[in-house]
Amino acid sequence: SLLLLGRLDEGLAVCDEALKIRSDRGYLWFLKGYCKYKGEKWEETLKFFDLAYRNGITNSLEYSTLCLLELKRNSQCIEVATKGIQRHPEFASLYFTRGLARKYLKQPMDLVCADMKRAAELKPSLMSSYQRNCSGERANRCLIVTPIKLVFASSLTKR
C-alpha cells in the first residue's frame, strides 16, 4: 500500500527489513524492484526483478524487458524477451517489448509487426495499437506506440 501512496522510500525500507528475515520470497524482490522501477532507477531495478524471477515471480521478466528498453539495451531486450517467450508464451508484453526493441534497432517491419500482432492476440487491448502501427502504408513508416508504462499498467493483474 505504500507503493500506491507513492511512498517509495518507505516501501523500500519495508522490503529490506522483510528480506533480512526471508530472502527467498520472490514477491519481496519484486516489490523492491517495483519501487526502483517507479523511481526510474532502471539499472538497479534489473537485479531485483531477476531475483524475483529466480524466486518464482514470473511477471518480473516483463518488467525487466521494459527496463532494458529504457536503458536502450535493445539487443539484450530482444534476447531476454525471446528466452522469456520460450518459457512463457502467454506474456503479451514480451512480444510487445521485443517488437519495440526490433523497431529501435531498425529491424524489418514484418518482424516488428509479427511481435505486435501476437501481443495484440494475447492482450486484445493492444489490437488498436497493432492496427494503427502495422496496417498498410504505416508499416513502412515510423511506428507510433502507446507509451510503454501505460500499456502495461495493468500487467500485474491481467495478461
Side-chain angles (χ1 to χ4, degrees):
S1 62
L2 292 171
L3 294 175
L4 296 174
L5 297 173
R7 295 163 55 186
L8 301 179
D9 290 337
E10 291 173 76
L12 283 169
V14 169
C15 287
D16 286 339
E17 287 302 312
L19 285 165
K20 287 178 186 175
I21 298 167
R22 293 288 306 265
S23 64
D24 64 339
R25 300 285 190 188
Y27 69 90
L28 293 172
W29 291 114
F30 179 83
L31 291 175
K32 186 167 181 169
Y34 193 72
C35 286
K36 296 289 185 177
Y37 177 84
K38 294 299 278 183
E40 299 183 356
K41 297 184 186 315
W42 314 121
E43 195 67 50
E44 290 179 61
T45 299
L46 284 172
K47 65 183 172 186
F48 298 125
F49 285 151
D50 182 55
L51 286 164
Y53 184 74
R54 284 194 261 147
N55 283 284
I57 307 300
T58 57
N59 71 322
S60 61
L61 185 60
E62 299 172 286
Y63 284 92
S64 293
T65 59
L66 295 173
C67 292
L68 291 168
L69 283 178
E70 292 289 348
L71 291 165
K72 297 182 182 7
R73 290 164 47 184
N74 298 312
S75 294
Q76 187 178 1
C77 178
I78 291 170
E79 181 182 324
V80 170
T82 299
K83 287 179 182 177
I85 288 166
Q86 291 170 354
R87 295 187 76 182
H88 309 285
E90 71 280 10
F91 287 177
S93 63
L94 295 178
Y95 294 95
F96 194 85
T97 54
R98 185 172 71 175
L100 287 177
R102 286 178 166 168
K103 172 62 181 171
Y104 299 150
L105 290 173
K106 300 184 185 328
Q107 292 186 358
M109 282 302 290
D110 60 332
L111 293 175
V112 172
C113 291
D115 279 341
M116 292 196 78
K117 180 179 181 184
R118 184 63 184 136
E121 290 168 350
L122 291 168
K123 188 172 184 175
S125 63
L126 295 174
M127 186 56 76
S128 62
S129 178
Y130 161 70
Q131 290 171 338
R132 195 173 52 246
N133 296 299
C134 293
S135 62
E137 191 176 310
R138 280 199 176 171
N140 297 318
R141 294 190 290 161
C142 183
L143 184 64
I144 304 165
V145 295
T146 306
I148 297 169
K149 291 177 186 176
L150 296 177
V151 170
F152 300 107
S154 65
S155 71
L156 290 175
T157 57
K158 295 182 182 177
R159 294 277 177 252

